[in-house]
Amino acid sequence: MQKKIAVLGSTGSIGTQTLDIIAAAPERYRASVLAAGSRVDDLIAQAIRHRPDLAIIAREDLYPQLRDALMPLGIATATGPDALRQAAAADNVDTVVTATVGYSGLEPTIAAIAAGKDIALANKETMVVAGSYINRLLASSRTRIYPVDSEHSAIYQCLKGEDPAKVRRLIITASGGPFRTWSKGAIARATATDALRHPNWSMGAKITIDSATMLNKAFEIIEARWLFDMQPDKISAIVHPQSIIHSMVEFTDGAIKAQLGVPDMRLPIAYALGESVRYEGVSDFCDLLEVGTLTFEQPDEERFPCFGLAKYCLNRGGNTACVVNAANEIAVAAFLNGRITFNDIYTIITSAIERVDFIANPDYNDFVQTNAIARRVASEIVESIN
Ligand code: NAD
Ligand code: MG
């Protein structure tokens, strides 16, 4: 039976790769919903090719263009704040791929869980912002979450068939990003162009900047904490510049299991869509002789202070990670626009933590509030820097 898939963030890096996998296996998958933020021309082209039931554009001013292009084809169109949420819960959807950026992933994820849809989770920010809350929702839902983030897919694969009680720790690998070998002084002067030059992965701009600050790795530690219900002291990260080992699990008998492969997101995406079935022809094979050497380094919190925010967020709990995520979204956008320096990103995040009220047991409305307040506070700090 064809699985009907809603691709939220279809014009992005994960979204387009997801559509490639869907197009290559029409006997298994159909894209029933496509949703994008602002690239309306790309979205129209995707809809003409994939013939979804529904296409959504977040930016309301672009809606008429979408509607006029797709109406003659009988493809429904939508926009507005409720559209993603409705799409995630629609009847003609079995699995939701959450591949939008940042906080925008939270609402549709909650809607998908309420409707019992399976989720291929790319949007890690959802678990960062509200992981413990999401887990409570999952406890009374038939939704299954399949990780798309390569590290979490690797851990998921390593945990298969294992007794969770025998896990000593998760070892998340990190490429180290473009500034791995840069001095503190050079990092302070880094431009957006420098930071966008990721050594191993081609991804959207926001996650590429997060990789450069290593906040992405902090986020992945938090994501792992909730996805695998693992205590924070059992989650570590190690820099592995070759990005061949995608992550590892160490067991109590001393064994370490690792998942290796070329850096190619199509593998974890296909593994998530296929619900852990391994299909052929998904990614290139990995020639270990060509790779030759696998090396490991300690992450450097001195040069990459954002990395240390994982521990801080998990210890403090509550709405802390929601503040960090919101402030980071504002700071990254300002950095990409050339308005602040690279190190300002960390300063803005930590100032926002100080200035936004702590809430120990946030409910949904608290996340909405915290996100809005932290964004406003971070924007004010950006203004004051300028
Ligand atoms: P991207 O910037 O390339 O694409 C983002 C997509 O989301 C675009 O289609 C954009 O139009 C859409 N979008 C943004 N805001 C929206 C909104 N409000 N409503 C509807 N659509 C919206 O980003 P990406 O690199 O594909 O990353 C997507 C998510 O996947 C992020 O959470 C990221 O952390 C995660 N992720 C990405 C990679 C990767 O290799 N790119 C790896 C692991 C995890
Ligand atoms: Mg990752």
Side-chain angles (χ1 to χ4, degrees):
M1 206 190 66
Q2 234 183 4
K3 196 189 295 186
K4 298 183 284 296
I5 299 175
V7 187
L8 310 185
S10 64
T11 57
S13 160
I14 294 291
T16 51
Q17 294 179 83
T18 302
L19 285 177
D20 288 345
I21 290 161
I22 291 174
E27 69 287 4
R28 284 197 289 277
Y29 309 121
R30 184 170 84 86
S32 56
V33 178
L34 302 179
S38 57
R39 280 176 241 165
V40 69
D41 291 323
D42 290 0
L43 178 61
I44 291 169
Q46 288 181 337
I48 290 169
R49 166 133 196 252
H50 292 271
R51 301 292 166 135
D53 303 324
L54 172 65
I56 295 169
I57 190 86
R59 256 185 54 190
E60 299 186 24
D61 58 314
L62 298 172
Y63 176 71
Q65 196 185 334
L66 183 72
R67 182 198 54 207
D68 295 349
L70 299 185
M71 190 141 56
L73 303 174
I75 298 171
T77 50
T79 186
D82 270 349
L84 278 192
R85 196 166 33 184
Q86 282 166 8
D91 283 342
N92 56 349
V93 170
D94 301 310
T95 296
V96 178
V97 180
T98 63
T100 65
V101 185
Y103 183 86
S104 68
L106 179 63
E107 252 193 23
T109 303
I110 291 171
I113 295 171
K117 311 291 187 188
D118 285 341
I119 296 171
L121 184 110
N123 181 272
K124 69 190 84 189
E125 292 94 336
T126 293
M127 295 312 265
V128 170
V129 166
S132 134
Y133 175 81
I134 293 287
N135 279 359
R136 282 203 300 281
L137 299 181
L138 284 169
S140 55
S141 163
R142 56 169 203 273
T143 294
R144 292 162 297 178
I145 291 206
Y146 296 94
V148 168
D149 214 348
S150 57
E151 294 77 3
H152 304 74
S153 176
I155 291 167
Y156 187 82
Q157 293 175 57
C158 292
L159 288 173
K160 280 232 169 271
E162 299 288 352
D163 176 355
K166 299 289 164 67
V167 173
R168 182 165 181 267
R169 65 179 172 139
L170 310 181
I171 307 168
I172 298 176
T173 52
S175 70
F179 304 146
R180 180 178 63 89
T181 59
W182 287 37
S183 71
K184 231 176 149 172
I187 291 172
R189 292 185 299 274
T191 64
T193 313
D194 297 327
L196 285 170
R197 225 174 270 135
H198 196 283
N200 303 344
W201 297 96
S202 157
M203 312 179 284
K206 193 263 187 183
I207 184 176
T208 305
I209 302 302
D210 290 349
S211 300
T213 60
M214 287 195 78
L215 184 62
N216 182 53
K217 216 38 66 177
F219 280 180
E220 291 184 350
I221 290 174
I222 300 172
E223 182 186 10
R225 193 261 173 268
W226 303 117
L227 271 182
F228 304 112
D229 192 19
M230 196 66 58
Q231 286 308 311
D233 61 350
K234 287 183 153 188
I235 309 172
S236 60
I238 191 168
V239 174
H240 164 53
Q242 296 81 21
S243 294
I244 295 295
I245 299 177
H246 298 305
S247 278
M248 304 176 253
V249 178
E250 183 176 53
F251 295 91
T252 47
D253 62 355
I256 294 177
K257 275 169 86 175
Q259 186 256 325
L260 288 74
V262 294
D264 184 344
M265 286 308 295
R266 287 174 304 175
L267 194 143
I269 296 169
Y271 195 75
L273 288 185
E275 298 178 20
S276 311
V277 176
R278 295 194 185 280
Y279 293 109
E280 278 169 40
V282 166
S283 92
D284 290 338
F285 293 104
C286 181
D287 184 341
L288 288 174
L289 290 175
E290 199 176 295
V291 174
T293 316
L294 302 176
T295 60
F296 306 97
E297 300 164 13
Q298 184 70 35
D300 182 355
E301 272 190 48
E302 166 95 20
R303 284 180 304 140
F304 302 101
C306 284
F307 175 73
L309 289 169
K311 214 181 292 166
Y312 181 79
C313 287
L314 289 173
N315 284 339
R316 192 161 176 258
N319 62 344
T320 309
C322 180
V323 175
V324 170
N325 176 70
N328 179 59
E329 286 188 40
I330 297 295
V332 168
F335 175 67
L336 286 170
N337 289 331
R339 301 187 65 200
I340 61 168
T341 69
F342 188 73
N343 288 341
D344 285 337
I345 297 175
Y346 177 72
T347 311
I348 290 169
I349 293 171
T350 49
S351 310
I353 294 173
E354 279 167 26
R355 284 164 58 173
V356 177
D357 286 341
F358 177 69
I359 302 172
N361 292 302
D363 62 17
Y364 179 69
N365 286 325
D366 293 324
F367 289 123
V368 174
Q369 290 285 328
T370 299
N371 178 58
I373 295 167
R375 279 169 184 276
R376 201 193 60 224
V377 165
S379 301
E380 284 165 12
I381 304 169
V382 169
E383 289 306 321
S384 72
I385 288 172
N386 271 262

